[in-house]
Amino acid sequence: MAAHKPVEWVQAVINRFDEQLPVKAGQQSTHTKVSTEHNKECLINISKYKFSLVISGLTNILKNVNNMRIFGEAAEKNLYLSQLIILDTLEKCLAGQPKDFMRLDETMLVKQLLPEICHFIHTYREGNQHAAELRASASGVLFSLSCNNFSAVFSRISTRLQELTVCSEDTVDVHDIELIQYINVDCAKLKRLLQETVFKFKALKKPAQLSVINSLEKAFWNWVENYPDEFTMLYQRPQTDMADCAEKLFDLVDSFAESAKRKAAVWPLQIILLILCPNITQEICREVVEESKVNKKLFLENLRKALAGHGGSKQLTESAAIACVKLCKASTYINWEDHSVIFLLVQSIVVDLKALLFNPAKPFSRGAGSQSADVDLMIDCFVSCFRINPHNNQHFKVCLASSSPPTFHFVLVNSLHRIITNSPLDWWPKIDAVYCYSGELRTMFAETLGRVMQGCSAHAPLRMTPSLTFKEKMTTSLKFKEKTTDLDTRSYKYLLLAIVKLIHADPKLMLHNPGKQGQEIQSSTAELITGLVQLVPLASMGEIAQEAMEALLVLHQPETIELWNPDAPIETFWDISSQVLFFICKKLIGHQMINSTEILKWLREILICRNKFLLRNKESATLGSGIPIGRQAQTKLEVCLYMFLWSPDMEAVLVAMSCFRHLCEEADIRCGVDEVPVQTILPNYNTFIEFASVSNMMSKGCTALQKRVMALLRRIEHPTAGNTEAWEDTHAKWEHATKLILNHPKTKIEEQEWINMTGFLCALGGVCLQQRSMPGLATYSPPMGPLSERKGSMISMGSSEGNVETPLSKFLDRLLSLMVCSHEKGLQIRTKVRDLVGLELSPALYPMLFNKLKNSISRFFDAQGPVPINDTNTQFVEQTIAIMKNLLDNHTEGSSEHLGQASIETMMLNLVRYVRILGNMVHAIQIKTKLCQLVEVMMERRDDLSFCQEMKFRNKMVEYLTDWVMGTSNQAAGDDVKCLTRDLDQASMEAVVSLLAGLPLQPEEGDGVELTEAKSQLFLKYFTLFMNLLNDCSEVEDDGQQVGGRKRGMSRRLASLRHCTVLAMSNLLNANVDSGLMHSIGLGYHKDLQTRATFMEVLTKILQQGTEFDTLAETVLADRSERLVELVTMMGDQGELPIAMALANVVPCSQWDELARVLVTLFDSRHLLYQLLWNMFSKEVELADSMQTLFRGNSLASKIMTFCFKVYGANYLHKLLEPLLRGVITAPEWQMISFEVDPTRLEATESLEENQRNLLQITNRFFLAIINSSCEFPPQLRSVCHCLFQATCHSLLNKATVKEKKESKKSVVSQRFPQNSIGAVGSAMFLRFINPAIVSPYEAGILEKKPPPRIERGLKLMSKILQSIANHVLFTKEEHMRPFNDFVKSNFDAARRFFLDIASDCPASDSVNHSLSFISDGNVLALHRLLWNNQEKIGQYLSSNRDHKAVGRRPFDKMATLLAYLGPPEHKPVADTHWSSLNLTSSKFEEFMTRHQVHEKEEFKALKTLNIFYQAGTSKNGNPVFYYITRR
């Protein structure tokens, strides 16, 4: 369009500009501001090519806006903003007017644009806050307009002058003459203006003459300031025509100035006219002058007199001061060499001028109305004096003195600002000449800030850190009244603004600290910066706050930061900049600022500057970065950014997200120095980077952006002080907002903000939950001992009930209560909460949510009597179903890790129980359908969920859900209800299909029917139901054939339902071939063709699924038992034993003896004894407090060790001890010997020393026999000792790879007792194995009768000495045993060598003689019973265990399925239940088998494979009972 129809296109852009003005579009938001700015730039660019079109368009818009009628303050503000935008656009378009462009149609300018512009300049109303800005903006337009279109403006002025020459009225309109003040004037234009004035001056009325005099003076300054080179050139090459005009006008004005009043009015112009005549100035400085120049000389003399106070009137003195300041100012634009006369003139007046203007005792003032003009005059004087002589600092000192009036301070600061900001001429001195006053300027800033803050509030100024207060200093040095008046406060505010602007203009001026110590420099910089930071949040002082932000930004430029403290720039940077961040973020978090988004943008700039500085100094970037305020600032910054993420202002969210990039950059720089991973400083670095990258993509809208934010929040893995505090602060605000919404529905609350906060808390809650301890060693280490003793997280998984008061728990409780809120906005709240919990909740919170939902729903069933059916409960159930479905459907990242941490069986069963009793109303049918869909989704996510009693649970669910199939389909009902019912049938069947997949039927226990029979009946029940449903489908289909149209949809549904039913039958038969095939096979011969076809379909399906028909074999029971053993002895990748260790953790201690027997027997038969011992011993060592308590208690590990010693060591002990003991008992020389060494028990005839010798002799004999028997030591016991040794000694294998671990059969080893590791082996071996046999040889089966008492006493004392040697300790408590300490000590090394010999290496598993490879049925039955009784606890243990994910849930699923097939263990009469605690292992049969090594013989192996022998239970005499199965 732009190419073909440029005029229309430009017009379209102008129209868009017009429509988006605030006066038409309403109050500006950030978005509309950006849009308006864009339109403006667009028009400015177009104006370079289509100038006339754009200018005329803008002129018309301005006209229309000016003619609008406005009511109300807001509308007036919008009008004013619109006018400013148009004027600003016009000015920029006119300034960029192409030089070669055809002259703009002057009539258009004069007739249209100029009057509109003049309207703003002329209608200036005192006191109107907007008028001054509009006037300034309009004068800017006029200035740009007059650059290229001077004639048009000049003609208007000229015409007006002409009109005024002939005007007879006394009241004259001089507005157009005043335009002279605002136009662009160069040398030639000034000459034209002067000529025009000379020509018409006499004819003008007095008001017009005064207006011309005033305006021409302003025009002169416009020329000098805009074209200083032309003015300088005038003094190098004087222009006679300019001088002529100026002289003529001087004379005209001089003759006009008859009275003192008129003189005062014209002197400022006269001095300028003299300046325009360089030659005349030179002449009049001589003694004698021409007659025509006398009046000029006289004028100068009068000027000097008046300045010195001898002029006769105050008015003339004031005028002389103005004129002299103008002279000084003009002289600064002249190069000294060009015209020294004028400088002599200046020198002659400057002392008097300063004395007049800068006298603290008598401040210069022309009355209340001219305050700002007085200040401007003083500033001009100050700046000029500095430029003339920068080293004359008298007036500096006067202005700096704290006793001087505030005006002097204001003048000083503004003068310095002007010196810095004016574009300099070559000979002007630079600002660094006044750097020496930086200390005084800082003091002035501190004092002014103190006064303003005191005026703003009754409170003392807020400080950031106590170390940096200057409050004490302030109170002592300030010489001001206790209470400042409002007027004073206002003037101090202006001064403060000026000082802040000065800092912004040149920060070095305030940072200059020559010759001071580093610490002093640092504290003065800190005082300056912390002072500025206090101003940022002051919304009541908008301009000051804005300037303070700009000043801080300049102070944070890398080259400026270096000056904060040149002695230690980096340490100072971390200290001061961290305080800035801390303070600002604290304010932002508190939402104490209206313009918080703007401040956040500014903060982003500060962060960028910080990083630039760190990059410049990256070699030493971390010096001093570890200070507390540094860490606090980082935390506060994180909190601040997190909390902006839920802001309803989209821009604020995006800015906060972009700030994360700068946090990451800082971490990169800091970590690059120390060469550590960035995560050490910023644990969530990766997610922060993602936040930053998303901030660049402008999202489609607020909701989409929030979804993205929540997804990223869920990815935050590491809890930090920042995210925890952000969560807690947001939670407090959310609680407050929730109360407001519920209690005051009429209150206007930012609902979007509440929704965002809810989402934020849901998504970030997970990370706050994980105040995890550091992960331990990479071993498989499920905690032993009860759940309560385990070190939990901030909120324990096992039961959140114990920690109800945590904020997270409170938050979830509150959310659940909002799910059923009956508020007038209830529906909206309920929907939002449901969606946020279902879709945005952090997966780590799933277990807590599941527990809370379970508890809430369980309460419906707590009370006695019927379940309370009411709307609230039903609503809660419906919401729960929706949340659970969303949660399981929505595969949130990380969900599979957390879904299994809490079981949902109870909740699901209760949901079904509740929904069952809702009846068959339309709503109830809909809820049932949704619940069935939930069950289906649950089974899809089965691998991620954990079930304690899965088979039982799924059987129950099938029982309940099949009740709903065909539940209402045959009742007379409307078509709609029928439709819904069919939907329910479909949903129920889909759920049943998923539940039946691989499900062995499990009838209710305890109904007295034999298991197989009960299964059979259950199968028949379901199979019949499904057959009926198929028949039903067929009948309805037949009916549907006759009716077309509407029924087609129904028939499609029926086909789907039929397909589901066939699938359900297939799954049912597939998993239960043994109990179902006999019932179903007959259908293959059914008379009805349809039925036969269906059966063939089902049969085909199960053949495709690969059903295991071997379950029909006679050996099925033995095979399943074998698989059960395989499962329990199954080993994971890391050497872990999931099922065995779970069993060890949940079996009650009363059954530990039995469990020890079963585990050792089973693992040894599978050649995995070492792995069992390793897992058990390492746990025992991990939980032991010290070496002394190791294996001393009755733990499972101790029992396993004892059992191993007993079974595998019986032969060894017999061989070792039997000859020794028999020798002691039968040899005649030992018959009368006593071994008693306790003096209190000694008989009269006995000698203590002799007894001691006897005891030593026998002990030595036994000890030597033991330590020399290492070659006879059984290999299994070597395994036990080696495993124990490895578990207690320090090993470097914790760094080994998984592969190496497998190969070496050693796993990661506890480092707890490295120095005593071999001692643990010896101690345990003697305590549990050798000494019990020595003390009780008869009970151990070594001797056939008890030894005599005195020998028995000797054996007991000997065991004490042997145990001391093994323990590596001397006797201390028992006095009578101390004499043996030498013997004990002398044998430490020998014992140690023996222990090392038996424990240092582990025999290969193949070489070990597996004496127990025959697994008796008793052990298998015991295993079955232990697993069955503890099935639920094993499930809970595996799902709550931290290594659950590493192991996976397959072993448990397989176990549950096998147990379901095997059914409950055989029931025993109560009287026989004690058999499990009897020690069957000492039975003679097993001893016989072991002694004769029967298991190695071929006959045994052949017999074993036949599976014809079984052992179970014992006879009355305690012997094992064997069964022989003859039919095999």
Side-chain angles (χ1 to χ4, degrees), residues 253-303:
V253 171
D254 204 42
S255 58
F256 164 79
E258 300 148 355
S259 63
K261 191 176 178 185
R262 286 193 180 189
K263 276 191 174 98
V266 301
W267 276 4
L269 178 64
Q270 282 182 298
I271 197 83
I272 280 162
L273 292 170
L274 266 186
I275 291 165
L276 285 173
C277 315
N279 296 338
I280 295 174
T281 320
Q282 264 179 327
E283 277 181 49
I284 59 177
C285 288
R286 298 186 192 123
E287 290 298 313
V288 184
V289 293
E290 291 173 31
E291 195 179 333
S292 62
K293 311 288 187 285
V294 172
N295 60 342
K296 282 94 181 168
K297 191 173 176 74
L298 191 63
F299 160 71
L300 282 178
E301 283 167 7
N302 288 339
L303 198 62

Side-chain angles (χ1 to χ4, degrees), residues 59-212:
T59 307
N60 289 331
I61 293 174
L62 187 62
K63 255 187 188 170
N64 296 336
V65 167
N66 287 348
N67 294 331
M68 284 176 91
R69 300 189 66 184
I70 293 299
F71 304 100
E73 198 181 324
E76 194 175 314
K77 188 181 176 192
N78 285 336
L79 171 71
Y80 145 71
L81 278 172
S82 304
Q83 288 169 328
L84 272 185
I85 290 167
I86 302 164
L87 289 171
D88 190 42
T89 313
L90 268 169
E91 183 188 344
K92 291 198 168 75
C93 289
L94 288 165
Q97 180 180 351
K99 291 279 182 286
D100 57 344
F101 200 78
M102 194 178 67
R103 274 294 163 106
L104 188 58
D105 182 358
E106 294 210 353
T107 53
M108 186 189 89
L109 271 178
V110 176
K111 287 184 180 170
Q112 293 187 349
L113 179 57
L114 205 53
E116 295 299 330
I117 299 301
C118 295
H119 160 80
F120 286 109
I121 293 173
H122 301 340
T123 57
Y124 175 69
R125 299 201 302 283
E126 275 296 335
N128 183 326
Q129 54 177 4
H130 307 321
E133 282 189 66
L134 286 171
R135 183 184 197 170
S137 195
S139 59
V141 176
L142 185 56
F143 184 85
S144 296
L145 182 66
S146 59
C147 280
N148 294 322
N149 307 281
F150 181 72
S151 306
V153 185
F154 183 74
S155 67
R156 181 168 177 133
I157 296 165
S158 182
T159 309
R160 190 70 192 137
L161 280 171
Q162 188 59 42
E163 285 170 7
L164 290 172
T165 55
V166 296
C167 172
S168 59
E169 300 157 25
D170 286 342
T171 53
V172 290
D173 179 10
V174 293
H175 279 136
D176 282 351
I177 298 174
E178 286 172 358
L179 296 180
I180 296 172
Q181 300 176 21
Y182 305 112
I183 56 179
N184 178 295
V185 180
D186 59 14
C187 196
K189 292 171 186 171
L190 184 65
K191 231 180 288 180
R192 276 182 78 180
L193 283 170
L194 288 174
Q195 284 163 351
E196 188 73 13
T197 311
V198 169
F199 184 57
K200 295 174 178 170
F201 186 78
K202 266 193 168 168
L204 294 172
K205 287 273 189 301
K206 183 188 159 191
Q209 286 175 321
L210 286 170
S211 178
V212 169

Side-chain angles (χ1 to χ4, degrees), residues 760-777:
F760 175 88
L761 293 170
C762 284
L764 190 65
V767 81
C768 300
L769 184 71
Q770 312 161 24
Q771 297 293 0
R772 292 198 199 100
S773 53
M774 287 299 288
L777 298 166

Side-chain angles (χ1 to χ4, degrees), residues 188 749 758 886 1151 1504:
I749 290 177
T758 314
N886 278 343
Q1151 294 170 18
K1504 188 169 184 284

